[in-house]
Amino acid sequence: MTEPFLYISLALYVFALVALFTYGMNCYLLMLCYRLKRSQSLERHAEVIAHFYRNFSVEDWPKVTIQLPIFNERYVVERLIQSICRFDYPRSLLDIQVLDDSTDDTVNIARALVKQMKERGFDIHYIHRDDRTGFKAGALREGLKTSKGELVGIFDADFVPQPDFLKETVPYFVDPIIGMIQTRWGHINADYSMLTRAQSMGIDGHFGIEQAARAWNGFFMNFNGTAGVWRKKTIEDAGGWQADTLTEDLDLSYRAQLKGWKLTFLTHVVCPAEVPVTITAFKSQQHRWAKGSIQTAKKNLGKLFRSDLPLLVKLQALLHLTHYMVHPMMLLVVLTSIPMLYSQWFFNSLSFPIMIFTLLCLATFGPSSMYMFSQKIIYGDWKSRIKFLPFLMCLGTGIAVNNTKAVLEALFDVKSGFVRTPKYGIKKQADCWKGKCYSIPLSAISLLEFIFGVYSLAGLMMFLFFSKYLVSPFLLIYTLGFFYVFFLSLKHGYGKTRS
């Protein structure tokens, strides 16, 4: 290989390593921030609840609008509406909107159930749009025009909130600066498969540690699109729901905080949800989140860095919004690994390989440590759960090709529609998604996953052949990850499903 090419490869390799190291080290910082504020937060929750119910009678409770944005959700729409109608909150103070953009028999199912609940005395309304202008953001914006509540709760179709949800969240809005409350996602079907176990652990890391650490330490956090309550005035003051990103929830969160509103997170209030059961659905969800995050970063970071906010808050916001950049960095590490073998001077002493090994360790085990920590603080049987961490590591690396495509689309303004994650009403292992509607077909991106798997394997074999053992374990993780996601994509992409 030519000398210039080797130097370019080295520069890209080191750049990617430093980036991964930065994001990995931030996981340790967030864990520390969580530890420092956890006890204080739990005490504050008890105080907020006690103060509210001691000083406010039922007549003084705020009216709440519940928005249920749905699109072709025949398997879960009944479960969703019924769970909302079980809320332990005065019916006279509850305004329910079913915002349906469906084009299939979900329309008839939802309309019939709304009629049934209305006959039972619920103030519930069915709103159907003939087109999906603005997608979910458009539906929420349309519903807000006729909403009656000063607070607005939002739930996606795969969520099943507990009856006491509003009683646990509404008291926080006594504080006039609070603009939104986000609650922790639970998992209805975590035990369904290795895939759902891995996803659940990843979700626990985000909600168990990241969101809490950001909210409790004055950093910018975000509404996750569901299982949360907004102050209607906050939505309007921040500019309303906008559809110019694929993560309208993240975008609105940042615009609201830039306006001075405070968003907070309740780690002890759990809202169960259905985890995607197919890798194709998971990849579609990840693609939307990755692309939307970078779009939101492009839209809001300039204004954020021009603000008078503390530098640490700005840096945390940067790492938060650009988190999905770890996936292009992973691919850079893989692609430049083999050229590194031809830079013999790089291996003349142990100092450089040890440095690389250290950076890779810190970058890799930062997120892993956070996921393990989240299991410990959430579950009593955490020791039996962490055995699934290797599957999460494989999933996190194997999804890199899919998410890199999303990041590049966002950076280069490639337009794409809002593809919602299909839900099948899966609760237990005996349930089956095959033969049901809403499948997402196998995409050409899977071929790239296979190619990266082969490339990583070749690199691994070459590193072992040349006795360069320090980097080999990380190439093994990449190899297993790419092949795991590829073969699971084949399995689920060719599953017998109806369109």
Side-chain angles (χ1 to χ4, degrees):
M1 295 186 181
T2 61
E3 197 74 13
F5 178 77
L6 291 178
Y7 280 117
I8 292 173
S9 297
L10 174 61
L12 291 174
Y13 190 81
V14 173
F15 170 74
L17 276 181
V18 171
L20 291 174
F21 170 79
T22 302
Y23 287 104
M25 290 303 293
N26 194 53
C27 292
Y28 296 112
L29 175 60
L30 291 175
M31 283 189 282
L32 176 61
C33 290
Y34 175 91
R35 287 290 256 176
L36 292 174
K37 294 294 181 70
R38 186 188 184 201
S39 297
Q40 179 181 335
S41 172
L42 295 177
E43 291 173 2
R44 180 173 181 269
H45 175 69
E47 293 171 358
V48 168
I49 297 297
H51 172 78
F52 182 81
Y53 290 109
R54 185 172 56 246
N55 294 282
F56 294 89
S57 62
V58 174
E59 292 76 19
D60 298 321
W61 292 6
K63 193 176 186 67
V64 182
T65 293
I66 302 296
Q67 293 188 317
L68 310 176
I70 60 175
F71 174 71
N72 293 353
E73 305 286 4
R74 66 171 68 173
Y75 303 113
V76 295
V77 64
E78 288 188 62
R79 182 180 71 186
L80 170 68
I81 296 175
Q82 289 170 354
S83 69
I84 299 301
C85 291
R86 286 195 294 267
F87 272 172
D88 184 14
Y89 202 77
R91 289 190 184 182
S92 60
L93 299 177
L94 204 56
D95 166 39
I96 306 172
Q97 296 181 332
V98 179
L99 308 174
D100 189 9
D101 287 354
S102 297
T103 57
D104 66 358
D105 59 353
T106 303
V107 172
N108 298 326
I109 297 171
R111 183 179 282 125
L113 191 56
V114 167
K115 180 181 178 182
Q116 179 183 339
M117 293 303 175
K118 188 181 288 289
E119 291 172 351
R120 293 185 183 180
F122 289 94
D123 185 12
I124 184 170
H125 307 274
Y126 178 80
I127 302 173
H128 184 265
R129 298 195 305 168
D130 293 327
D131 63 78
R132 295 186 73 198
T133 301
F135 303 107
K136 180 179 176 181
L140 294 172
R141 184 171 59 239
E142 191 68 24
L144 207 61
K145 295 177 181 177
T146 55
S147 62
K148 305 172 185 176
E150 61 180 276
L151 303 180
V152 182
I154 301 172
F155 299 92
D156 283 348
D158 48 334
F159 281 74
V160 187
Q162 299 299 312
D164 65 347
F165 182 90
L166 290 180
K167 284 191 171 182
E168 291 288 328
T169 54
V170 165
Y172 279 80
F173 289 96
V174 171
D175 185 347
I177 200 173
I178 296 293
M180 189 279 298
I181 297 291
Q182 174 66 54
T183 65
R184 178 161 62 87
W185 293 6
H187 323 295
I188 295 173
N189 59 333
D191 297 335
Y192 184 73
S193 66
M194 290 299 180
L195 175 62
T196 57
R197 288 179 186 274
Q199 290 180 72
S200 299
M201 187 178 292
I203 292 170
D204 288 338
H206 173 66
F207 285 93
I209 307 298
E210 289 184 87
Q211 285 286 63
R214 292 191 181 106
W216 300 346
N217 290 273
F219 304 145
F220 274 28
M221 60 160 289
N222 65 288
F223 173 54
N224 293 96
T226 177
V229 182
W230 280 89
R231 193 187 298 272
K232 183 177 179 180
K233 182 180 177 181
T234 303
I235 298 175
E236 295 170 341
D237 184 50
W241 293 105
Q242 298 176 9
D244 53 350
T245 74
L246 291 181
T247 48
E248 70 291 323
D249 43 12
L250 180 61
D251 174 40
L252 178 61
S253 300
Y254 267 71
R255 286 187 279 115
Q257 288 168 109
L258 284 169
K259 281 281 190 175
W261 292 96
K262 181 180 178 182
L263 313 187
T264 193
F265 176 74
L266 305 184
T267 185
H268 45 277
V269 180
V270 183
C271 189
E274 182 178 327
V275 180
V277 295
T278 67
I279 191 68
T280 49
F282 174 69
K283 287 163 73 173
S284 174
Q285 182 187 69
Q286 285 290 304
H287 185 278
R288 184 174 73 249
W289 291 352
K291 184 172 182 177
S293 294
I294 302 302
Q295 289 174 326
T296 302
K298 291 174 63 178
K299 179 177 178 179
N300 293 286
L301 279 180
K303 185 176 181 180
L304 186 142
F305 273 91
R306 289 191 298 270
S307 70
D308 296 328
L309 291 165
L311 179 60
L312 182 57
V313 172
K314 295 178 180 180
L315 293 176
Q316 279 297 319
L318 174 65
L319 294 173
H320 181 203
L321 290 180
T322 62
H323 173 73
Y324 281 98
M325 289 300 297
V326 299
H327 297 288
M329 297 302 105
M330 288 180 182
L331 295 192
L332 275 180
V333 167
V334 172
L335 289 171
T336 54
S337 291
I338 291 180
M340 292 296 294
L341 281 173
Y342 292 89
S343 302
Q344 288 302 320
W345 61 269
F346 191 77
F347 294 99
N348 283 340
S349 68
L350 278 177
S351 57
F352 286 114
I354 289 177
M355 179 190 70
I356 298 301
F357 179 77
T358 303
L359 289 176
L360 284 170
C361 279
L362 291 172
T364 301
F365 295 120
S368 299
S369 298
M370 187 173 68
Y371 297 135
M372 291 176 63
F373 184 45
S374 70
Q375 299 305 289
K376 183 176 181 179
I377 63 173
I378 294 175
Y379 306 105
D381 61 341
W382 64 276
K383 291 182 180 179
S384 65
R385 292 173 177 268
I386 60 175
K387 63 186 178 185
F388 301 108
L389 182 60
F391 291 95
L392 176 58
M393 294 176 68
C394 288
L395 187 63
T397 54
I399 202 73
V401 179
N402 178 82
N403 287 0
T404 296
K405 173 179 175 290
V407 168
L408 292 176
E409 287 182 0
L411 291 175
F412 293 102
D413 293 323
V414 178
K415 303 299 181 183
S416 60
F418 186 102
V419 180
R420 72 100 168 94
T421 307
K423 301 97 180 176
Y424 301 112
I426 300 295
K427 296 181 181 179
K428 54 187 182 299
Q429 291 182 345
D431 294 336
C432 184
W433 57 271
K434 293 184 178 180
K436 293 186 176 182
C437 303
Y438 312 139
S439 63
I440 296 178
L442 186 70
S443 71
I445 205 71
S446 295
L447 178 60
L448 282 177
E449 290 162 356
F450 177 75
I451 292 173
F452 269 93
V454 172
Y455 187 89
S456 298
L457 180 60
L460 172 63
M461 300 304 293
M462 291 175 69
F463 268 77
L464 292 175
F465 179 79
F466 288 109
S467 302
K468 310 301 182 185
Y469 301 115
L470 287 178
V471 181
S472 300
F474 301 98
L475 285 174
L476 176 61
I477 293 174
Y478 287 123
T479 301
L480 293 175
F482 291 130
F483 281 136
Y484 173 66
V485 171
F486 168 70
F487 286 113
L488 207 55
S489 297
L490 286 182
K491 178 181 178 182
H492 292 170
Y494 285 110
K496 294 181 178 179
T497 56
R498 290 181 288 149
S499 60

